[in-house]
Amino acid sequence: MASTAGKVIRCKAAVAWEAGKPLVIEEVEVAPPQANEVRVKILFTSLCHTDVYFWEAKGQNPLFPRIYGHEAGGIVESVGECVTDLKPGDHVLPVFTGECKECAHCKSEESNMCSLLRINTDRGVMLNDGKSRFSINGKPIYHFVGTSTFSEYTVIHVGCLAKINPLAPLDKVCVLSCGISTGFGATVNVAKPPKGSSVAVFGLGAVGLAAAEGARSAGASRIIGVDLNSARFEEAKKFGVNEFVNPKDHKKPVQEVIAEMTDGGVDRSVECTGNIDAMISAFECVHDGWGVAVLVGVPHKDAVFKTHPMNVLNERTLKGTFFGNYKPRSDLPSVVEKYMNKELELEKFITHSIPFSEINKAFDYMLKGESLRCIIRMEE
């Protein structure tokens, strides 16, 4: 690999030229990493709903042409100046939010919201010089959340890379770099359901099922899945969900349905859709006195959360989380070890696998609601 260090690499990338249009496999030029940057050879990537959301650009600011992708596993090809804790050949997971290890957030045990490297969906360039490392015929192609893994090579800030056990299979643990860690961590790190408690999970996509898995591993006895698509209920049983509610089946608000089912409300709820009505329902369905609701989903940019203040005064707690409150560099390696020690199953989240040349199929699967995670193999 070292023969490419310091040189521009030409490789294939899937470029989104405009909102909602199929990605195009193009030859791109990937510049060498600058200070505090690392160039990574991506081996496996997967499609997360957040990629689709920003590709559609319906509720967010459009920025094109762009290389999406943020859930992946790869190997360090070369490092820029000042990079000391990674070297060529290291196995890494890129993460959409980072850990500089120096700001107040990184030094706090309670936060993973790094001041320097927290997610910025509008920025399409590198922090170091405000420029892209991708180009086609001299024309810059924008980055996405600092990762852009739909490319055979990508350049990422060192603070957004978790160095992991080289024995971990990258085609499995790549899903830990976003969705599965986000959902699992939202439950175990933030909601913290007591043993024997009840948990409602809103949205039974990959993140919601990971939240359910977290509830099961924490020892929750009732895990109620809430989704508008009843076809997801059967699959959800594999992840510990043992009761189901489809809001469309009821004439009253779903929070009232859940309150009736649980004698006043669930102990914990985790919202994984980004839909503002689901967020309000998730908060209002927890029991007064001790209920905790955790918001995970990314809302529309114009969304507003409305609830009566008495819902808070009656001792319900509303929390938010990013990436399941995991610090990427410090915590993600141990989540990978959970998989290696068979404490966390990842295979059941992976429903499809396709070659890079067929990446648009992954979008089709997700838009039709047919996939949880589709692994995209970069080397065909």
Side-chain angles (χ1 to χ4, degrees):
M1 272 195 196
S3 60
T4 51
K7 299 174 185 171
V8 170
I9 289 178
R10 290 177 182 272
C11 68
K12 287 182 195 160
V15 178
W17 289 100
E18 52 185 306
K21 294 290 170 67
L23 306 188
V24 182
I25 304 287
E26 306 273 12
E27 183 178 81
V28 299
E29 296 188 337
V30 185
Q34 295 189 13
N36 294 308
E37 295 174 1
V38 178
R39 192 160 56 185
V40 178
K41 179 181 173 67
I42 299 294
L43 296 182
F44 299 95
T45 185
S46 71
L47 181 65
C48 169
H49 192 263
T50 306
D51 296 305
V52 177
Y53 196 41
F54 284 87
W55 164 74
E56 289 179 320
K58 289 175 183 171
Q60 307 294 344
N61 296 323
L63 184 62
F64 297 93
R66 205 170 200 184
I67 296 172
Y68 286 97
H70 64 281
E71 220 178 67
I75 297 175
V76 173
E77 174 268 338
S78 61
V79 301
E81 291 175 33
C82 310
V83 175
T84 55
D85 53 354
L86 286 175
K87 63 185 187 304
D90 283 345
H91 287 220
V92 289
L93 299 182
V95 183
F96 63 87
T97 188
E99 182 185 355
C100 73
K101 299 198 172 183
E102 291 169 11
C103 70
H105 283 276
C106 286
K107 287 179 176 173
S108 163
E109 289 184 8
E110 297 181 54
S111 175
N112 67 342
M113 301 286 289
C114 176
S115 301
L116 180 69
L117 298 169
R118 74 173 61 175
I119 186 171
N120 182 329
T121 55
D122 292 335
R123 186 176 63 229
V125 293
M126 298 301 286
L127 283 173
N128 198 51
D129 60 355
K131 293 179 180 173
S132 174
R133 300 289 172 263
F134 299 110
S135 61
I136 296 178
N137 299 325
K139 177 184 166 64
I141 308 294
Y142 292 113
H143 295 248
F144 178 63
V145 296
T147 52
S148 292
T149 61
F150 294 165
S151 175
E152 292 175 324
Y153 288 86
T154 186
V155 177
I156 299 172
H157 192 286
V158 65
C160 295
L161 289 165
K163 180 181 174 180
I164 63 162
N165 183 343
L167 299 177
L170 289 173
D171 60 333
K172 306 292 191 300
V173 298
C174 64
V175 299
L176 288 173
S177 67
C178 177
I180 310 311
S181 297
T182 295
F184 191 81
T187 306
V188 299
N189 296 338
V190 188
K192 297 179 179 171
K195 220 176 179 114
S197 60
S198 56
V199 179
V201 177
F202 285 72
L204 298 176
V207 177
L209 293 174
E213 185 80 359
R216 176 165 69 177
S217 77
S221 59
R222 290 183 79 178
I223 304 174
I224 302 168
V226 184
D227 202 293
L228 296 170
N229 180 0
S230 298
R232 290 181 161 174
F233 292 169
E234 194 57 40
E235 181 86 29
K237 291 176 183 174
K238 296 181 198 168
F239 300 85
V241 183
N242 46 30
E243 295 176 64
F244 300 94
V245 178
N246 185 332
K248 291 193 291 194
D249 294 343
H250 302 273
K251 290 194 169 72
K252 60 178 74 169
V254 70
Q255 54 267 47
E256 292 180 22
V257 175
I258 292 170
E260 285 177 12
M261 289 169 63
T262 55
D263 193 22
V266 287
D267 301 308
R268 302 289 187 267
S269 71
V270 186
E271 189 288 321
C272 302
T273 71
N275 177 286
I276 193 67
D277 295 324
M279 290 181 170
I280 294 165
S281 296
F283 177 55
E284 294 183 355
C285 82
V286 298
H287 206 290
D288 57 6
W290 62 78
V292 179
V294 179
L295 304 186
V296 179
V298 179
H300 189 284
K301 66 182 190 323
D302 300 322
V304 177
F305 187 98
K306 290 181 180 176
T307 192
H308 196 282
M310 283 309 298
N311 288 322
V312 182
L313 294 171
N314 285 337
E315 299 179 10
R316 292 178 182 86
T317 300
L318 179 64
K319 290 184 170 187
T321 177
F322 242 65
F323 195 52
N325 272 45
Y326 288 116
K327 292 179 187 278
R329 296 161 86 181
S330 301
D331 298 337
L332 204 48
S334 62
V335 183
V336 169
E337 292 309 311
K338 273 186 185 292
Y339 168 76
M340 297 297 280
N341 296 333
K342 298 187 166 53
E343 295 167 44
L344 178 60
E345 289 180 46
L346 297 179
E347 284 82 0
K348 60 190 176 184
F349 290 97
I350 298 167
T351 51
H352 297 78
S353 175
I354 56 172
F356 187 38
S357 59
E358 297 175 14
I359 190 170
N360 288 301
K361 275 190 185 172
F363 283 76
D364 293 339
Y365 293 143
M366 186 161 281
L367 290 168
K368 289 176 185 168
E370 293 174 1
S371 70
L372 291 176
R373 279 297 180 265
C374 177
I375 303 296
I376 298 153
R377 307 184 299 274
M378 303 305 282
E379 293 181 334
E380 300 181 22

